[in-house]
Amino acid sequence: MRQATTQAAGRRMSGINLFGHIAALCAVSMWGYSFVSSKVLLDNGLGPVTIYVLRFILAYIIVACISHKRLFASTWREEGLFMLCGLLAGSVYFIAENTALEYTLATNVSLLTSMSPLITAFLINFIYKSEKLGVGTWIGSAAAVAGVVCVVFNSSNSVEVRPLGDFLSLAAAFSWAFYSLILRSLNAHYDVWFISRKTFFYGLVTALPFLFFERNQVDLPDVLSRGEVIGNLLFLGVGASTIAYVLWALAVKNLGPLIANNYMYLQSIVTLIVSTIVLQERVSLMGYVGIILIIAGLWAGDNINKIIARHKRH
């Protein structure tokens, strides 16, 4: 009886983990595609802060229709954590990332913002002394980082040090890593819809001051009358914001921030594939090597530790 109960619990846990992996993959895929959508909107004259505010307004309206009965968190401390989520995963991350493109190469931005999983691993190892990371985690992270470098250099072979832009890119990577750690504690007490609504709200509130300093001034009604603008804004607001953030909260809840954040490495692969299909950009041999290394790194990070643990038991 005890063995049957254990097996049933194991199957349930396996199903939960599988759902977490699928949720993380879907969220990161939408975020990878969002770079192309954002590029279309930038080409139509919208500024990075305007794009961010419009997509989060749409996302907030949708989530508020689903989760609207509860207004505040249980404590002011947790309300403060929600404010941090909005600041870190909203205004700081997106504004820092998009502003960095004005001061440094896109190659630098892609490479440095992709470091968030590695930063998350270091933070967990430093903050949570009881959660020592296995050798598989470090091997997988190293392989995935090498893969990201290859993918980034698929269409470029130069990196220049430009302090302000590079600092902003690293700030974006650190902000996402801290957001994932905070999300882990909030997931224990709140559902994903409430977490997403609070994140969108505080992300908007903290971004509004930046909107007044944006240099891109366009005739907004005219721009929003264009079909491709509406289509890409709907994708960013409904898909890459609403659905992706909810899926990401579920992924972190089921897998933990370390394993979930490893999927961020796949973002560069999705962007590479979409750019090839939509923008007709060529994939070089280095790009294919990068894809293989990232996938191998994800497998290693999730499986080598399990293999070592089984070997020790036997």
Side-chain angles (χ1 to χ4, degrees):
M1 177 68 71
R2 183 179 299 174
Q3 184 178 4
T5 303
T6 303
Q7 289 176 345
R11 285 194 296 271
R12 284 196 299 271
M13 184 59 65
S14 178
I16 290 172
N17 287 342
L18 177 61
F19 176 77
H21 287 296
I22 293 173
L25 180 61
C26 290
V28 170
S29 296
M30 283 186 274
W31 287 331
Y33 189 92
S34 70
F35 282 100
V36 176
S37 285
S38 296
K39 187 179 187 316
V40 172
L41 296 178
L42 287 168
D43 290 343
N44 276 274
L46 292 175
V49 183
T50 302
I51 295 171
Y52 165 73
V53 169
L54 288 174
R55 67 184 279 188
F56 264 47
I57 286 175
L58 180 58
Y60 180 78
I61 291 172
I62 294 171
V63 175
C65 289
I66 298 171
S67 174
H68 56 270
K69 293 182 179 179
R70 184 176 186 175
L71 192 59
F72 295 108
S74 300
T75 66
W76 286 112
R77 176 185 173 276
E78 289 175 344
E79 189 70 24
L81 290 178
F82 280 119
M83 185 180 293
L84 271 177
C85 281
L87 183 67
L88 294 172
S91 52
V92 169
Y93 180 82
F94 284 101
I95 294 173
E97 180 184 67
N98 291 332
T99 305
L101 290 169
E102 299 180 2
Y103 295 100
T104 188
L105 302 175
T107 303
N108 296 41
V109 179
S110 298
L111 180 57
L112 293 172
T113 54
S114 295
M115 294 297 103
S116 61
L118 191 60
I119 294 170
T120 303
F122 278 115
L123 288 175
I124 288 176
N125 203 49
F126 178 75
I127 296 172
Y128 301 100
K129 301 295 184 182
S130 60
E131 297 185 28
K132 291 299 179 184
L133 305 179
V135 64
T137 302
W138 297 114
I139 292 174
S141 294
V145 168
V148 169
V149 172
C150 290
V151 169
V152 167
F153 283 104
N154 170 67
S155 58
S156 174
N157 55 12
S158 65
V159 168
E160 299 176 19
V161 177
R162 300 184 182 181
L164 179 57
D166 293 342
F167 171 79
L168 288 171
S169 300
L170 277 175
F174 269 96
S175 70
W176 191 265
F178 278 111
Y179 160 67
S180 296
L181 294 182
I182 295 171
L183 192 59
R184 180 166 91 162
S185 65
L186 291 174
N187 267 325
H189 307 288
Y190 301 94
D191 66 80
V192 294
W193 291 104
F194 183 78
I195 291 172
S196 299
R197 196 197 82 211
K198 301 294 283 186
T199 300
F200 294 151
F201 174 77
Y202 284 117
L204 280 169
V205 169
T206 54
L208 288 176
F210 294 96
L211 194 59
F212 294 104
F213 296 99
E214 188 160 70
R215 289 173 293 180
N216 299 63
Q217 299 296 328
V218 295
D219 184 356
L220 199 57
D222 175 63
V223 174
L224 293 179
S225 67
R226 303 169 193 170
E228 64 175 355
V229 171
I230 293 296
N232 283 285
L233 270 178
L234 284 173
F235 168 74
L236 290 173
V238 179
S241 295
T242 308
I243 297 174
Y245 270 74
V246 169
L247 288 174
W248 187 254
L250 289 170
V252 172
K253 184 174 185 176
N254 292 332
L255 302 176
L258 181 62
I259 296 176
N261 251 24
N262 280 338
Y263 275 90
M264 293 295 288
Y265 291 123
L266 289 175
Q267 187 170 273
S268 57
I269 292 181
V270 176
T271 304
L272 182 69
I273 293 171
V274 173
S275 297
T276 302
I277 297 171
V278 177
L279 305 177
Q280 265 86 76
E281 294 182 356
R282 187 178 66 87
V283 181
S284 66
L285 176 61
M286 186 171 287
Y288 288 116
V289 171
I291 291 173
I292 293 171
L293 282 172
I294 292 172
I295 294 173
L298 288 173
W299 180 90
D302 197 34
N303 290 280
I304 288 180
N305 292 337
K306 295 177 182 177
I307 294 171
I308 292 174
R310 282 199 299 266
H311 179 73
K312 286 182 179 179
R313 284 199 298 269
H314 295 296

